[in-house]
Amino acid sequence: MTQQAVVPFDERGRSRLASFDGEIHVELSRIPVHYHICSWDAIETDCHMLAMSVCRIACATADAVRGRPVPAPIRRYLSEPCLRKLANVSALLDYHLQSHPDLKISLKRPPAIPMLINGTFTSAKKLDAVVMLALGKTHYWVTLVFEQTGSRWVCNHADMG
């Protein structure tokens, strides 16, 4: 719930990157999810709300890769090419898991629990973010690229590895 802008200066008085740090609380974890978002430019975006959206979309990405449907409210924040790519990865993973039943159980069953969010505004209208997710005892990274379209942020790239 806290968002704090930090603009440290080096020993010569030059400013470094502006960064926004905070934490969000998710229902499946007792531990808050810390986020760190930095920017090259001055931005006028609520980083706390954006971090929450990044977190939701990362979890939906993990679910989509594991063959679960993407909820309608989340679909509107994913571009069509992104949704198609997630469906393709899901099909490939499902084919691979047919010959690895032990891996299938460990990957498909547990919920995706976010652990950490890092993001960088590469421009005032583009955010690159990574989210560390726990699926059982294994940690995965979800990479997301968002672009602002009108008043909303749309995910144009989602990858999990």
Side-chain angles (χ1 to χ4, degrees):
M1 281 185 102
T2 60
Q3 177 177 323
Q4 175 182 347
V6 180
V7 185
F9 295 91
D10 65 10
E11 60 280 350
R12 295 183 183 158
R14 294 180 293 195
S15 105
R16 295 183 183 159
L17 294 178
S19 66
F20 302 89
D21 299 293
E23 56 188 34
I24 56 178
H25 299 277
V26 294
E27 18 177 290
L28 296 174
S29 176
R30 294 177 303 223
I31 302 168
V33 179
H34 295 281
Y35 66 84
H36 175 78
I37 299 174
C38 58
S39 173
W40 292 94
D41 296 328
I43 56 167
E44 297 179 18
T45 300
D46 181 1
C47 288
H48 183 76
M49 293 301 290
L50 192 54
M52 288 179 22
S53 295
V54 167
C55 187
R56 271 189 227 108
I57 291 173
C59 291
T61 297
D63 287 344
V65 166
R66 297 185 297 165
R68 298 178 183 159
V70 178
I74 301 286
R75 288 182 78 84
R76 68 182 296 249
Y77 294 102
L78 293 163
S79 68
E80 271 308 310
C82 186
L83 286 167
R84 278 195 308 274
K85 288 176 187 175
L86 288 174
N88 288 341
V89 169
S90 176
L92 291 170
L93 181 65
D94 194 46
Y95 178 75
H96 175 73
L97 291 178
Q98 288 176 3
S99 59
H100 298 86
D102 53 333
L103 181 60
K104 183 176 186 174
I105 291 170
S106 69
L107 184 65
K108 292 233 178 189
R109 267 210 174 136
I113 300 175
M115 307 295 284
L116 176 70
I117 301 168
N118 276 320
T120 301
F121 280 97
T122 55
S123 73
K125 296 191 179 275
K126 187 173 181 183
L127 173 72
D128 292 1
V130 293
V131 179
M132 183 171 64
L133 294 177
L135 295 176
K137 295 179 181 178
T138 308
H139 291 92
Y140 294 91
W141 289 94
V142 177
T143 304
L144 305 165
V145 178
F146 292 86
E147 289 191 53
Q148 190 174 24
T149 306
S151 63
R152 73 184 164 128
W153 289 87
V154 176
C155 181
N156 291 324
H157 175 82
D159 185 33
M160 181 176 157

